């Protein structure tokens, strides 16, 4: 994502009648003491060490004290404290050099400077608060903190302890998108929070517990007009939801599913106008998929007619086509009502057209990686349908798809089976060769590498074949038998894939769920 240019705020002094003039390339009546002070300032920051840090901090604290006193003494006379504000701004700018020495952050914390910096987020002059946001963004920048894990944690812990999250989010409410400097400060605020999450992942839940950031982000993605901050808001929201069930549930309770659906619905019949806007749309779908992890949000998705919207997006064949398939896959995984709704609103025709390779042609989907991801999503979606719809007319409609047009869907399924099987075999042989070269791998690592090479998709295909075979439909069974024979395979080959899947089912959803899942796979193995 493109960075918004850093704010370059320079307050203007009133020019005195006897001030310096510039004539013929030379200064007249130069204030030598001022030049000397500037020179000393530049020299003082050439070497960044503990001594320099203490000088910078001392100078900043003095200017802060002067500004507080001036404002208290002349609360209704801005011209009387304007100079102290300019000087305070300059000291904050000087502190940015500390980003060049993150190893000094523990000393910065020990000097209690973090508390002094953060109190300025509530300064009456918004420009000073903007300066502080820029400083915090610089100090926590990802490139700065790289390879400085311990100092970074010390700084972030101090920021949290001194209510940085609350103060940053409170300050957001007074910043206007119409002012370029304040718009940049909004970006820097979001960047600082992201940087803190990067250093300390627990911040993702802390900031949502303690502040109204989620509400602010929702309001931002609701706005129709696109800008860089809307893009960043969508990205940060996806980050906050990514690994946090608590945040996913919290946002669901805030009508978040409906808001995200409204945001993506804008692209059901139009494409993004730029790569940045395209990235934002992908972020919004990332948010939607994260939200669809808790079962209560799947229900909200259904009530908001999310299934119907995703099918419409697929039918329109715009850029969000593949993202809609991904969202449907998340919505229908282990959730029967969404599977039933999908069949009822005629989603099978749209999904199986994609499964057969009838997808919209764009520059993006010509990439091999795009095609493979789409295939795997569709395989997962069909497996979810079979897993959810176990009987009745909907089950018959699903099975009939594999009989129509001379069983072309089974042909396609076996084509994918062979391709993924070949890839997994090639990876297995490669690992065997590595082990011959004394690079031993444990069983978990071997299994994970096979999954990455396509084993998971192969397992899901085998599961779908298990459902088809268990239907005892004579035409379906005959077609599977014929295709296996043509490829010089037997039912035992499919059984072996299912057995490996059975043996590696985890208990992330609890021991009962694991037992039920294994029993279902064992039934397929026995029936083949």
């Amino acid at each position: 994502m493109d960075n918004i240019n850093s704010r370059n705020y320079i307050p203007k002094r009133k020019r005195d009648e006897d001030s310096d003039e510039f004539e013929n390339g030379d200064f007249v009546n130069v204030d030598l003491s001022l030049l000397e002070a500037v020179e000393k300032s530049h020299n003082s920051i050439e070497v960044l060490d503990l001594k320099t840090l203490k000088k910078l901090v001392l100078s900043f604290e003095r200017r802060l004290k002067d500004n507080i006193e001036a404002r208290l003494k002349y609360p209704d006379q801005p011209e009387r404290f304007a100079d102290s504000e300019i000087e305070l701004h300059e000291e904050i700018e000087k502190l940015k050099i500390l980003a060049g020495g993150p190893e000094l952050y523990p000393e910065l914390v020990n000097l209690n400077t973090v508390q002094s910096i953060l109190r300025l987020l509530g300064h009456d002059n918004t420009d000073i608060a903007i300066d502080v946001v820029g400083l915090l963004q610089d100090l926590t920048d990802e490139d700065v903190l790289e390879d400085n894990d311990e100092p970074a944690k010390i700084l972030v812990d101090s920021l949290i302890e001194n209510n940085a999250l609350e103060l940053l989010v409170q300050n957001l409410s007074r910043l206007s998108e119409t002012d370029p400097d304040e718009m940049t400060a909004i970006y820097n605020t979001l960047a600082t929070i992201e940087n803190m999450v990067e250093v300390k992942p627990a911040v993702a839940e802390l900031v949502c517990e303690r502040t109204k950031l989620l509400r602010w982000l929702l309001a931002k993605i609701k706005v129709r007009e696109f800008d860089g901050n809307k893009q960043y808001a969508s990205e940060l929201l996806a980050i906050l939801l990514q690994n946090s069930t608590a945040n996913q549930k919290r946002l669901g309770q805030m009508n978040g599913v409906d808001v995200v659906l409204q945001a993506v619905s804008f692209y059901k019949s139009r494409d993004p106008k730029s790569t940045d806007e395209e990235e934002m749309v992908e972020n919004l779908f990332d948010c939607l998929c994260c939200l669809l992890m808790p079962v209560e949000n799947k229900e909200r998705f259904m009530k908001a007619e999310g299934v119907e919207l995703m099918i419409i997006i697929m039918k329109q064949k715009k850029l969000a086509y593949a993202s809609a398939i991904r969202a449907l896959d998340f919505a229908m995984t282990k959730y029967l009502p969404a599977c039933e709704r999908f069949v009822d609103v005629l989603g099978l025709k749209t999904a199986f057209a994609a499964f057969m390779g009838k997808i919209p042609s764009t520059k993006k989907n010509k990439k091999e990686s795009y095609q493979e991801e789409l295939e795997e999503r569709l395989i997962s979606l069909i497996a979810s349908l079979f897993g959810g719809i176990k009987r009745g007319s909907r089950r018959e409609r699903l099975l009939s798809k594999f009989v129509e047009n001379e069983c072309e869907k089974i042909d396609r399924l076996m084509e994918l089976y062979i391709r993924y099987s070949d890839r997994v075999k090639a990876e297995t042989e490669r690992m065997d060769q590595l082990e011959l070269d004394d690079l031993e791998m444990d069983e978990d690592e071997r299994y994970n590498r096979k999954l990455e090479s396509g084993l998971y998709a192969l397992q899901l295909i085998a599961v779908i074949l298990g459902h088809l075979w268990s239907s005892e439909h004579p035409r379906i069974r005959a077609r599977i038998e014929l295709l296996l024979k043509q490829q010089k395979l037997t039912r035992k080959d499919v059984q072996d894939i299912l057995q490996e899947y059975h043996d590696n089912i985890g208990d992330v959803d609890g021991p009962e769920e694991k037992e039920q899942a294994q029993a279902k796979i064992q039934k397929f193995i026995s029936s083949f």
Side-chain angles (χ1 to χ4, degrees):
M1 102 183 26
D2 293 335
N3 284 327
I4 297 175
N5 292 330
S6 296
R7 178 177 176 278
N8 189 19
Y9 166 78
I10 303 177
K12 294 179 181 176
R13 292 179 181 270
K14 291 182 179 178
R15 183 177 290 279
D16 297 325
E17 289 181 8
D18 60 346
S19 64
D20 304 330
E21 297 292 339
F22 193 68
E23 292 180 0
N24 302 322
D26 294 315
F27 276 108
V28 179
N29 299 325
V30 175
D31 186 340
L32 294 176
S33 62
L34 181 59
L35 283 180
E36 186 180 349
V38 170
E39 186 177 357
K40 282 182 180 177
S41 171
H42 286 166
N43 290 338
S44 69
I45 59 175
E46 284 179 3
V47 178
L48 187 55
D49 55 16
L50 182 56
K51 186 178 178 183
T52 303
L53 170 65
K54 288 181 177 178
K55 280 184 180 179
L56 287 168
V57 167
L58 181 60
S59 183
F60 163 72
E61 295 284 3
R62 280 175 179 164
R63 295 293 177 252
L64 174 57
K65 183 171 177 287
D66 290 346
N67 180 242
I68 292 170
E69 290 175 352
R71 275 187 164 267
L72 287 172
K73 194 172 182 180
Y74 309 107
D76 301 319
Q77 302 175 58
E79 68 278 2
R80 303 293 292 270
F81 56 72
D83 282 353
S84 71
E85 229 121 281
I86 291 169
E87 289 165 353
L88 180 57
H89 156 76
E90 290 168 352
E91 291 304 323
I92 295 170
E93 289 296 305
K94 286 179 188 175
L95 287 176
K96 288 186 176 182
I97 194 176
L98 298 177
E103 68 278 0
L104 293 171
Y105 286 179
E107 290 301 327
L108 184 71
V109 170
N110 290 337
L111 292 167
N112 294 320
T113 314
V114 171
Q115 189 174 1
S116 297
I117 291 170
L118 291 176
R119 71 187 293 186
L120 289 174
L121 284 169
H123 198 282
D124 288 339
N125 184 344
T126 308
D127 288 333
I128 294 296
I130 289 173
D131 290 336
V132 172
V133 171
L135 171 63
L136 292 174
Q137 199 278 331
D138 281 4
L139 294 179
T140 61
D141 187 82
E142 184 182 3
D143 292 337
V144 171
L145 298 183
E146 194 175 8
D147 301 325
N148 287 280
D149 291 349
E150 199 53 42
K153 286 176 184 172
I154 290 170
L155 175 63
V156 170
D157 283 342
S158 179
L159 288 170
I160 294 168
E161 188 180 328
N162 287 287
N163 304 319
L165 297 172
E166 294 89 334
L167 293 166
L168 281 164
V169 176
Q170 285 169 18
N171 188 54
L172 271 177
S173 63
R174 66 170 175 165
L175 298 175
S176 169
E177 299 270 6
T178 58
D179 182 284
D181 290 339
E182 293 186 23
M183 192 171 180
T184 300
I186 291 171
Y187 180 94
N188 287 338
T189 300
L190 303 182
T192 301
I193 293 169
E194 182 188 1
N195 294 340
M196 291 173 70
V197 171
E198 185 71 27
V199 173
K200 189 166 182 160
V203 169
E205 288 190 3
L206 280 176
V207 72
C208 296
E209 286 170 12
R210 298 182 181 182
T211 77
K212 295 180 179 179
L213 179 62
L214 282 181
R215 201 165 293 282
W216 188 94
L217 293 171
L218 276 184
K220 184 61 187 169
I221 65 169
K222 248 181 168 179
V223 178
R224 284 227 159 188
E225 293 75 19
F226 173 77
D227 60 44
N229 282 346
K230 183 178 179 182
Q231 177 193 353
Y232 205 169
S234 68
E235 181 179 342
L236 182 58
L237 186 59
I239 290 168
L240 295 176
L241 294 172
Q242 196 168 22
N243 297 309
S244 171
T245 303
N247 286 350
Q248 292 160 6
K249 291 182 176 182
R250 188 178 283 112
L251 197 66
Q253 292 163 359
M254 294 165 59
N255 201 33
V257 175
D258 200 52
V259 171
V260 176
L261 282 173
Q262 287 175 36
V264 300
S265 70
F266 186 59
Y267 298 93
K268 66 185 176 187
S269 56
R270 68 181 288 272
D271 281 337
K273 294 178 181 177
S274 66
T275 53
D276 286 345
E277 191 173 2
E278 184 180 323
E279 184 181 320
M280 183 199 69
V281 175
E282 290 179 4
N283 291 337
L284 290 172
F285 273 99
D286 286 345
C287 293
L288 184 58
C289 291
C290 289
L291 279 170
L292 287 169
M293 299 292 280
V295 67
E296 56 266 41
N297 286 344
K298 293 177 191 278
E299 185 179 346
R300 293 183 176 108
F301 178 80
M302 282 260 301
K303 287 181 178 177
E305 298 185 350
V307 173
E308 290 88 335
L309 175 60
M310 296 305 115
I311 292 171
I312 289 169
I313 291 173
M314 287 178 67
K315 286 180 177 178
Q316 292 292 327
K317 298 183 177 180
K318 297 295 182 182
L319 188 121
Y321 178 88
S323 298
I325 292 172
R326 183 161 63 105
L328 283 169
D329 181 28
F330 273 85
M332 294 194 291
T333 299
K334 298 179 183 177
Y335 191 62
L336 172 61
C339 295
E340 292 179 337
R341 176 72 63 85
F342 185 79
V343 175
D344 291 345
V345 296
L346 310 179
L348 290 178
K349 182 179 179 181
T350 308
F352 277 101
F355 180 70
M356 293 303 295
K358 296 174 184 175
I359 60 175
S361 179
T362 66
K363 285 182 182 178
K364 184 179 178 181
N365 68 23
K366 285 177 183 175
K367 295 178 182 176
E368 189 178 338
S369 58
Y370 176 94
Q371 297 275 2
E372 285 182 1
E373 185 182 347
L374 194 57
E375 279 176 3
E376 290 174 16
R377 286 291 172 195
L378 288 161
I379 290 165
S380 177
L381 189 150
I382 293 167
S384 292
L385 284 168
F386 271 114
I389 302 169
K390 296 173 182 175
R391 59 186 65 86
S393 61
R394 294 187 185 97
R395 180 79 171 189
E396 291 304 315
R397 286 164 67 183
L398 179 57
L399 285 168
S400 70
K401 283 291 173 185
F402 287 87
V403 180
E404 67 183 19
N405 296 332
E406 299 183 357
C407 301
E408 65 174 5
K409 313 294 189 305
I410 300 177
D411 294 354
R412 171 68 169 155
L413 196 64
M414 287 304 300
E415 174 197 325
L416 293 171
Y417 178 93
I418 297 302
R419 190 200 308 161
Y420 283 100
S421 179
D422 288 346
R423 281 171 51 179
V424 172
K425 284 175 186 172
E427 178 62 19
T428 304
E429 288 169 6
R430 196 180 73 82
M431 286 190 292
D432 290 342
Q433 185 58 48
L434 284 173
E435 293 198 339
L436 286 174
D437 296 336
D438 296 330
L439 290 171
E440 289 189 17
M441 285 176 274
D442 60 31
E443 284 304 309
D444 286 344
E445 188 178 353
R446 282 180 67 89
Y447 186 68
N448 287 332
R449 287 204 180 192
K450 284 165 70 177
L451 286 175
E452 288 169 9
S453 72
L455 177 60
Y456 183 63
L458 179 61
Q459 290 171 339
L460 290 182
I461 293 167
V463 168
I464 295 168
L465 287 170
H467 281 288
L468 291 170
W469 189 267
S470 298
S471 71
E472 298 184 357
H473 193 294
R475 282 188 66 193
I476 287 175
R477 282 195 167 188
R479 192 71 173 189
I480 292 172
E481 287 270 31
L482 174 65
L483 293 170
L484 286 171
K485 189 175 181 181
Q486 285 178 351
Q487 295 295 331
K488 297 181 180 177
L489 297 170
T490 66
R491 280 181 273 161
K492 175 71 166 57
D493 292 293
V494 181
Q495 286 177 325
D496 289 344
I497 299 297
L498 288 169
Q499 188 64 54
E500 186 175 21
Y501 182 45
H502 170 280
D503 295 344
N504 286 280
I505 291 175
D507 59 357
V508 67
D509 295 319
E512 278 188 33
E513 283 287 329
K514 176 181 177 177
E515 196 174 312
Q516 288 175 11
Q518 286 183 321
K520 182 178 73 175
I521 301 302
Q522 189 58 54
K523 185 179 175 184
F524 293 154
I525 294 168
S526 302
S527 71
F528 247 108

